[in-house]
């Protein structure tokens, strides 16, 4: 049975909610395990949940799949490694004095996803979809560049960091498009079983790569990750649930549409933060929020149509 075309909308919203929970759990692990260790937790401790999700998908949504399709074997490693590289670059940006500039540039991810999806997979967004992508990209750049003037993003010092931000966004964009290509190769559009299989393979590969890296570079971090298994298991499980939502949504809709709708997480976080801390947003932040909200509404209109 082919899932309804609108199913990607609630699935994406659920993925964004699970990702918020994962981020909250993972935040405390960064100070204890470091950035790379916390990243390993996300993949390694997500494997049990990912395996369970695969079993559930096999029972509830069986269907014809090609688990080792040639396209999967080409695209999945690209996606897994691109995601790891983008995460490393993002961590590097955050350690720099002018990290806000680089992070702002990294938020071009959605626009890069739309372009890559169109060029590599032929994903057509339509006029409303492209307007939503452009609005979302500009909105998140404005929000990420809080306290910066537009000229600050283009000055001489900023240009030395901008390429890292663009590379970060490109890495996440390649990962999203590669995962969608992998899922479609395994089971075609709307295959929940294919999404679960691709997720398990991606997290397994990422866990192995990070474990080898840490054993060679920082073996003590591996020991710390194993000792922190209680908190790590919760973080990994919520991370696996979030990833399962993203992968499932990728099987149903273009990656750019999924990521644009996922920005609703950012809007909710901003509202909650303002309520708690009673901060008055600047005109730049208000403009960014308005653009992101417009993008979410447009992508909903395009996706439900």
């Amino acid at each position: 049975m082919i899932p309804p075309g609108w199913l990607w909308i609630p699935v994406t919203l659920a993925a964004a909610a699970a990702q918020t929970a994962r981020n909250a759990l993972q935040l405390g692990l960064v100070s204890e395990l470091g950035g790379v260790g916390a990243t390993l937790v996300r993949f390694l401790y997500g494997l049990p949940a990912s395996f369970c999700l695969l079993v559930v998908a096999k029972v509830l949504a069986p269907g014809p799949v090609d688990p080792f399709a040639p396209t999967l074997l080409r695209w999945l490693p690209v996606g897994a490694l691109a995601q790891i590289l983008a995460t490393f670059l993002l961590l590097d940006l955050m350690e720099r004095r002018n990290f806000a500039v680089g992070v702002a540039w990294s938020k071009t991810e959605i626009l890069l996803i739309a372009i890559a999806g169109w060029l590599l997979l032929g994903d057509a967004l339509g006029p409303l979809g492209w307007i939503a992508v452009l609005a979302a990209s500009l909105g998140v750049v404005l929000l990420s560049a809080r306290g910066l003037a537009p000229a600050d993003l283009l000055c001489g010092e900023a240009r030395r960091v901008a390429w890292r931000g663009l590379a970060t966004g490109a890495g996440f964009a390649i990962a999203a498009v590669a995962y969608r290509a992998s899922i479609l190769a395994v089971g075609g559009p709307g295959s929940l079983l294919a999404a679960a299989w691709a997720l398990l393979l991606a997290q397994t590969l990422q866990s192995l790569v990070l474990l080898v890296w840490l054993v060679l570079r920082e073996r003590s971090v591996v020991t710390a990750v194993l000792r922190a298994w209680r908190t790590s298991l919760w973080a990994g499980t919520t991370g696996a649930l979030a990833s399962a939502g993203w992968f499932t949504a990728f099987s149903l809709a273009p990656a750019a549409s999924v990521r644009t709708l996922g920005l609703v997480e950012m809007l909710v976080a901003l509202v909650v933060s303002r309520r708690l801390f009673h901060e008055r947003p600047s005109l730049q932040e208000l403009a960014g929020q308005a653009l992101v909200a417009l993008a979410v509404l447009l992508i909903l209109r395009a996706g439900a149509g």
Side-chain angles (χ1 to χ4, degrees), residues 29-292:
L29 292 171
V30 173
S31 58
E32 180 182 352
L33 305 175
V36 180
T39 302
L40 173 60
V41 163
R42 172 183 176 182
F43 301 125
L44 181 63
Y45 285 96
L47 288 177
S50 296
F51 179 77
C52 292
L53 289 169
L54 176 63
V55 173
V56 170
K58 177 65 175 176
V59 173
L60 299 181
V65 295
D66 183 0
F68 298 105
T71 302
L72 167 76
L73 299 179
R74 288 196 301 270
W75 278 107
L76 190 77
V78 171
L81 296 177
Q83 188 177 14
I84 290 176
L85 179 59
T87 302
F88 281 163
L89 287 172
L90 187 60
L91 293 171
D92 176 68
L93 286 173
M94 290 180 175
E95 291 177 352
R96 294 176 178 271
R97 182 171 57 86
N98 51 355
F99 76 95
V101 173
V103 171
W105 280 106
S106 75
K107 297 304 181 180
T108 56
E109 168 197 358
I110 293 175
L111 179 59
L112 295 173
I113 287 175
I115 294 171
W118 175 50
L119 292 176
L120 299 176
L121 303 181
D123 284 337
L125 295 179
L128 278 182
W130 279 106
I131 293 172
V133 164
L134 292 173
S137 299
L138 180 56
V140 294
V141 167
L142 289 175
L143 289 170
S144 303
R146 179 182 180 183
L148 298 174
D152 293 332
L153 299 175
L154 300 171
C155 67
E157 184 181 2
R159 284 197 295 269
R160 289 191 288 272
V161 182
W163 75 266
R164 288 182 172 84
L166 289 171
T168 301
F172 285 126
I174 291 171
V177 172
Y179 288 150
R180 175 163 163 78
S182 301
I183 295 164
L184 296 178
V186 173
S191 174
L192 304 183
L193 182 57
W197 173 244
L199 171 62
L200 181 63
L201 286 185
Q203 289 195 324
T204 300
L205 177 58
Q206 289 166 323
S207 298
L208 291 174
V209 169
L210 288 172
L211 278 171
V212 170
W213 172 273
L214 287 171
V215 166
L216 295 177
R217 301 289 297 269
E218 299 178 79
R219 188 170 299 183
S220 60
V221 174
V222 178
T223 304
V225 166
L226 296 177
R227 286 176 178 170
W229 67 269
R230 289 182 177 84
T231 307
S232 298
L233 189 59
W234 283 108
T237 299
T238 54
L241 292 174
S243 296
W246 295 123
F247 274 55
T248 301
F250 288 155
S251 76
L252 296 164
S257 297
V258 173
R259 286 304 197 194
T260 300
L261 180 57
L263 291 177
V264 71
E265 171 199 0
M266 174 181 284
L267 291 177
V268 172
L270 287 170
V271 171
V272 171
S273 177
R274 299 270 151 71
R275 292 277 185 177
L276 290 176
F277 301 108
H278 307 288
E279 297 175 342
R280 296 186 63 181
S282 65
L283 289 177
Q284 177 179 315
E285 290 174 297
L286 287 173
Q289 291 177 44
L291 285 169
V292 171

